[in-house]
């Protein structure tokens, strides 16, 4: 891959991403501006990097040409950005990786404008999402509500950021129709379930969903139930998955022949969908954009940990019995404008980027300070090694890992012992008591995604 002809006058925008959801987001975001800007995507080799199959799926429908995408090692990243003449870098990755890359890009001479964002539903706005990305010049979100809630979070915490609005790439060209209780369905006959790696978190809950899918398939053998997976066996996801649905289904014994799994791109799965079911996947927004009705499972309630508050506000919650009966729902029309389906002319992220580029050209692009932490250079090296794994071959990273790993293990052991002592001092309450509810809440909180 090489940059377009020098002197064509267009800003050169390079995205860096590694995992499935961030590669899909970055490719689609850049694909929307590929005619306006010289856009390219670098797929960074990290422990969670996409496979070739995942990469092809992520690029499908993105409008970013395949020849504008290449894989790159961390050791080659700085040189490749220089070769491409990047004016803008879009960082698409989990928070720890973005923090590392933003810190190193900030040290470059004539540094590029640094843009970041989140790849899907980002309500609730979290402190961690903001803190990890403090050294980025612009934080892209995808709904008026997200702009408002992230802005309010910054005002409360003092972690100032510049937020901008961009239509979620998978919601472009939306043809939303129907009403919250409308009877219209998708063009196909499939019930598509969008699996998530960490929602719900508990094995018993995920097994319950597996049983629900079997019931839905048995209820109508003439129509398929499609378990849409994020990754095939051996592939990585943005978030580590325990208790995968294929294994849970296998434990249930012989399955109905109309219950099938798919790792095809979501857009392909939705092409034959009657309706989509999920707990809180951003696939719900993709389905709504195509006029396909949705069920957001209400089995586990509504909470920040389940990331389903937005879908609840859309009046999309329904029960497992509704899933089996295929009683899909359309969003409340009053919900749309504030949540991902604003008019395209409300998007302002490119305007913000061009304003920042003007500052850069004039030598007035202000530096961005990262979150201050203890540990200095050794801490920086540790964070780099953890984010990049074996991709970081520096001596400092090796030293930090050798020193930090046993320290981290000791801290975790100490925290575990403290929890045991505190837990042993408390009288256990009966199941259903407030003590039990608090304990369950603590477990859920510990599984919250890394933004």
């Amino acid at each position: 891959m090489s940059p377009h002809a020098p002197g064509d006058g267009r800003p050169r925008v390079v995205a860096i991403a590694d995992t499935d959801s961030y590669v899909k987001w970055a490719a689609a975001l850049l694909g929307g501006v590929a005619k306006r800007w010289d856009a390219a995507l670098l797929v960074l080799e990290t422990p969670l990097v996409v496979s070739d199959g995942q990469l092809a799926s992520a690029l499908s429908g993105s409008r970013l040409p395949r020849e504008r995408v290449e894989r790159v090692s961390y050791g080659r990243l700085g040189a490749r950005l220089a070769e491409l003449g990047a004016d803008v870098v879009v960082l698409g990755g989990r928070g720890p990786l973005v923090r590392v890359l933003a810190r190193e890009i900030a040290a470059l001479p004539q540094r590029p404008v640094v843009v970041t964002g989140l790849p899907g539903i980002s309500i609730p706005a979290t402190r961690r999402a903001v803190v990890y990305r403090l050294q980025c010049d612009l934080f892209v979100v995808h709904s008026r509500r997200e702009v408002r809630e992230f802005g309010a979070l910054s005002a409360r915490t003092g972690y100032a950021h510049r937020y901008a609005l961009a239509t979620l790439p998978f919601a472009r060209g939306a043809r939303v129709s129907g009403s919250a209780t409308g009877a219209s369905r998708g063009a196909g006959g499939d019930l598509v379930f969008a699996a998530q790696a960490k929602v719900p978190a508990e094995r018993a809950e995920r097994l319950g969903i597996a049983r629900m899918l079997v019931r839905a398939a048995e209820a109508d053998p003439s129509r398929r139930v499609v378990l849409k997976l994020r990754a095939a066996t051996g592939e990585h996801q943005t978030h580590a998955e325990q208790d995968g649905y294929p294994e849970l289904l296998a434990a249930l014994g012989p399955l109905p022949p109309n219950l099938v799994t798919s790792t095809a791109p979501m857009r392909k799965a939705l092409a034959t969908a009657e309706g989509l079911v999920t707990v809180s996947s951003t696939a719900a927004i993709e389905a709504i954009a195509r006029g396909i009705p949705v069920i957001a499972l209400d089995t586990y309630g509504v909470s920040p940990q389940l990331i389903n508050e937005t879908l609840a506000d859309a009046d999309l919650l329904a029960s497992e019995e509704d899933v089996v009966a295929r009683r899909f729902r359309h969003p409340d029309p009053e919900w749309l404008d504030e949540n991902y389906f604003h008019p395209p002319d409300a998007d302002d992220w490119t305007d913000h980027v061009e304003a920042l580029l003007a500052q850069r050209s004039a030598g007035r692009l202000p530096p961005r300070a990262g979150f201050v932490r203890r540990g200095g250079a050794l801490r920086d090296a540790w964070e780099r090694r953890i984010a990049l794994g074996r991709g970081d071959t520096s001596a400092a990273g090796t030293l930090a890992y050798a020193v930090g790993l046993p320290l981290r293990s000791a801290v975790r052991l100490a925290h575990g012992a403290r929890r045991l002592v505190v837990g042993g001092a408390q009288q256990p309450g009966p199941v259903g008591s407030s003590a039990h509810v608090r304990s369950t809440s603590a477990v859920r909180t510990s599984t919250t995604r890394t933004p």
Side-chain angles (χ1 to χ4, degrees):
M1 177 181 68
S2 60
H4 290 176
D8 70 359
R10 294 186 298 160
R12 292 178 177 168
V13 183
V14 179
I16 304 170
D18 63 336
T19 67
D20 57 332
S21 58
Y22 280 104
V23 169
K24 180 179 178 181
W25 172 77
L29 189 71
L30 265 59
V33 296
K35 293 182 179 180
R36 180 175 179 178
W37 295 338
D38 177 1
L41 171 62
L42 299 179
V43 178
L44 182 63
E45 298 289 348
T46 72
L48 299 178
V49 69
V50 290
S51 68
D52 289 343
Q54 286 175 306
L55 178 58
S57 178
L59 296 178
S60 176
S62 70
R63 294 187 282 179
L64 184 67
R66 180 63 183 84
E67 63 269 18
R68 302 296 296 157
V69 181
E70 68 176 84
R71 295 181 182 271
V72 65
S73 67
Y74 169 71
R76 276 278 298 151
L77 181 61
R80 196 67 186 112
L81 288 176
E83 291 165 359
L84 291 170
D87 300 304
V88 180
V89 173
V90 177
L91 296 180
R94 296 177 59 167
L97 178 64
V98 171
R99 175 167 60 190
V100 167
L101 296 180
R103 181 168 61 229
E104 301 198 4
I105 290 172
L108 295 176
Q110 186 63 11
R111 74 166 178 90
V113 171
V114 181
V115 179
T116 192
L118 298 172
I121 294 173
S122 302
I123 298 294
T126 67
R127 176 184 175 278
R128 288 172 64 187
V130 173
V131 166
Y132 278 131
R133 295 167 173 84
L134 277 178
Q135 278 193 275
C136 300
D137 299 295
L138 188 67
F139 194 140
V140 175
V141 293
H142 300 293
S143 75
R144 298 184 197 268
R145 178 179 176 182
E146 289 181 355
V147 171
R148 187 170 61 251
E149 294 204 10
F150 273 94
L153 175 66
S154 283
R156 289 195 307 271
T157 62
Y159 299 129
H161 236 307
R162 183 172 184 163
Y163 299 102
L165 181 62
T167 298
L168 194 66
F170 328 122
R172 293 193 193 117
R175 51 177 189 270
V176 181
S177 63
S179 64
T181 57
S184 61
R185 299 174 182 271
D190 293 347
L191 183 161
V192 178
F193 177 75
Q196 295 167 268
K198 299 186 73 172
V199 178
E202 302 301 323
R203 178 181 177 84
E205 295 170 343
R206 298 175 75 83
L207 187 59
I209 287 178
R211 291 193 177 105
M212 177 197 71
L213 296 177
V214 171
R215 289 173 56 211
E218 292 173 340
D220 187 348
S222 69
R223 290 184 288 181
R224 296 198 310 171
V225 172
V226 178
L227 170 58
K228 172 63 181 73
L229 302 172
R230 295 285 300 273
T233 301
E235 293 179 327
H236 298 293
Q237 301 182 57
T238 300
H239 303 293
E241 181 175 37
Q242 296 181 356
D243 302 314
Y245 287 108
E247 292 76 19
L248 294 172
L249 286 169
L252 297 179
L255 300 174
N258 60 324
L259 173 54
V260 300
T261 60
S262 172
T263 56
M266 180 57 73
R267 61 194 297 268
K268 184 174 181 180
L270 292 177
T272 56
E274 173 186 1
L276 179 116
V277 179
T278 188
V279 177
S280 59
S281 171
T282 301
I285 307 302
E286 197 167 347
I288 293 168
R290 298 178 63 159
I292 296 169
V294 171
I295 289 176
L297 278 174
D298 67 3
T299 307
Y300 314 107
V302 177
S303 72
Q305 290 74 37
L306 291 171
I307 327 168
N308 63 350
E309 295 169 312
T310 299
L311 300 180
D313 292 343
D315 199 21
L316 294 174
L317 293 187
S319 68
E320 294 184 12
E321 295 306 317
D322 290 315
V323 173
V324 173
R326 297 183 177 230
R327 292 190 285 263
F328 301 107
R329 305 173 69 84
H330 289 280
D332 183 338
E334 295 183 359
W335 174 87
L336 298 171
D337 184 67
E338 285 291 300
N339 297 276
Y340 311 106
F341 296 98
H342 54 270
D345 60 10
D347 287 354
D348 61 3
W349 82 279
T350 56
D351 294 336
H352 280 280
V353 170
E354 290 182 346
L356 289 163
L357 282 171
Q359 288 182 282
R360 178 176 182 262
S361 296
R364 298 197 306 269
L365 185 64
R368 296 280 304 178
F371 183 70
V372 178
R373 299 153 344 280
R374 296 177 180 175
L378 190 62
R379 174 67 176 265
D380 291 348
W382 163 261
E383 291 175 352
R384 183 175 64 245
R385 180 59 180 261
I386 292 301
L388 295 164
R390 295 180 180 177
D392 175 26
T393 58
S394 68
T398 301
L399 174 62
Y401 192 73
V403 172
L405 189 62
L407 285 176
R408 183 174 67 171
S409 299
V411 169
R412 288 179 171 176
L413 284 171
H415 285 171
R418 188 178 300 117
R419 284 195 296 269
L420 286 173
V421 170
V422 173
Q426 295 177 346
Q427 292 296 323
V431 173
S433 70
S434 59
H436 177 76
V437 172
R438 283 195 298 271
S439 174
T440 302
S441 175
V443 170
R444 287 190 185 278
T445 301
S446 71
T447 62
T448 301
R449 70 199 187 285
T450 299

